[in-house]
């Protein structure tokens, strides 16, 4: 199996605001950063995939995902290829 995670979210970027000459516009802004992480594992030989949508990317969430994979593929001996992210411990 091969595993990877992706980050999906939004990040607001304050921009310039148009106004007539001599008038300074009031453009309130707030930086917003909201993210969701998707963990997925694929088994190409069997044509199967499993995934979870989780709130963060850390060791605890990776453990939760690995528990999900082990219960989903309980009948199989799983060898998982992962990248070198710090939470893949």
């Amino acid at each position: 199996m091969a595993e990877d995670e992706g980050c999906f979210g939004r990040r607001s970027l304050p921009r310039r605001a148009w106004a007539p000459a001599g008038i300074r516009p009031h453009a309130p802004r707030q930086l917003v950063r909201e993210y969701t992480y998707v963990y997925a594992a694929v088994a190409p030989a069997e044509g199967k995939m499993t995934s979870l949508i989780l709130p963060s990317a850390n060791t605890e969430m990776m453990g939760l995902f690995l528990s999900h994979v082990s219960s989903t593929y309980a009948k199989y001996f799983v060898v998982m290829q992962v990248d070198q992210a710090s939470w893949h411990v």
Side-chain angles (χ1 to χ4, degrees):
M1 295 189 90
E3 182 275 338
D4 204 7
E5 58 283 326
C7 176
F8 300 91
R10 77 180 179 112
R11 192 175 88 196
S12 64
L13 297 174
R15 306 263 184 201
R16 291 182 174 208
W18 179 86
I23 297 175
R24 186 178 182 107
H26 178 67
R29 64 180 186 224
Q30 178 180 3
L31 289 175
V32 176
R33 290 185 175 98
E34 297 174 335
Y35 299 104
T36 298
Y37 296 85
V38 177
Y39 290 75
V42 73
E46 285 79 28
K48 296 182 179 181
M49 184 192 89
T50 186
S51 62
L52 280 181
I53 299 173
L54 298 170
S56 61
N58 56 30
T59 305
E60 181 183 350
M61 295 296 121
M62 185 66 180
L64 183 67
F65 176 70
L66 291 176
S67 297
H68 172 71
V69 170
S70 67
S71 65
T72 303
Y73 295 98
K75 298 185 292 184
Y76 297 94
F77 178 76
V78 176
V79 175
M80 187 172 294
Q81 175 186 1
V82 297
D83 56 9
Q84 295 180 354
S86 61
W87 53 85
H88 295 162
V89 181

